[in-house]
């Protein structure tokens, strides 16, 4: 199992994740939605497309733009559709029970 945690709470959990460019991407369905709020912030990655951000709300604290996803990734980043990743102090941990960190070797040609 792979978990994402912030401010003492597990905010996402999945057995299947995707690792690209040093970030772990979880399926959007793995999020505990009660902790997330859509942000108006957008960012552009030349390799992946337009990122949409999410704020985290946990235990009365807010971590702005702490998660991002690509609703319509570029063609070469198709595998990121429906996936979300974290930064800004969100801890990602691979526990003893995870069994399927997915990183197809042929995709390395597209990313650093």
């Amino acid at each position: 199992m792979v978990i994402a945690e912030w401010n003492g709470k597990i905010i996402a959990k999945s057995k299947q994740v995707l690792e690209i460019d040093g970030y772990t991407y979880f399926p959007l369905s793995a999020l505990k939605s009660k902790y997330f709020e859509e942000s108006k912030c957008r960012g552009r990655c030349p390799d992946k497309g337009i990122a949409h951000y999410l704020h985290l709300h946990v235990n009365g604290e807010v971590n702005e733009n702490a998660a991002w996803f690509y609703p319509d990734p570029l063609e070469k980043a198709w595998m990121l559709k429906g996936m979300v990743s974290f930064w800004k102090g969100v801890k990602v941990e691979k526990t003893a029970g995870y069994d399927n960190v997915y990183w197809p070797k042929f995709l390395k040609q597209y990313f650093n």
Side-chain angles (χ1 to χ4, degrees):
M1 188 66 65
V2 183
I3 62 169
E5 182 179 339
W6 184 72
N7 203 20
K9 295 287 184 184
I10 293 174
I11 58 169
K13 178 169 58 170
S14 180
K15 285 187 177 183
Q16 295 185 336
V17 296
L18 179 62
E19 293 182 314
I20 295 179
D21 293 341
Y23 292 100
T24 302
Y25 288 83
F26 290 73
L28 282 167
S29 62
L31 296 182
K32 294 196 175 186
S33 59
K34 67 182 179 180
Y35 297 125
F36 294 88
E37 172 191 16
E38 190 168 349
S39 169
K40 294 182 184 201
C41 183
R42 303 291 185 261
R44 186 182 191 302
C45 173
D47 292 326
K48 298 175 187 103
I50 304 296
H52 291 224
Y53 290 84
L54 301 168
H55 302 311
L56 271 171
H57 295 266
V58 177
N59 294 331
E61 293 186 38
V62 179
N63 190 344
E64 292 188 354
N65 303 314
W68 73 91
F69 64 99
Y70 299 92
D72 295 303
L74 297 176
E75 186 175 339
K76 69 180 181 178
W78 59 267
M79 75 298 296
L80 294 177
K81 181 126 180 126
M83 304 297 279
V84 60
S85 194
F86 307 99
W87 64 337
K88 299 181 100 177
V90 174
K91 180 180 159 189
V92 174
E93 180 180 343
K94 297 168 187 152
T95 65
Y98 89 92
D99 61 4
N100 199 3
V101 174
Y102 177 65
W103 175 232
K105 292 181 180 177
F106 78 92
L107 294 175
K108 287 186 179 184
Q109 65 185 316
Y110 298 117
F111 302 100
N112 296 333

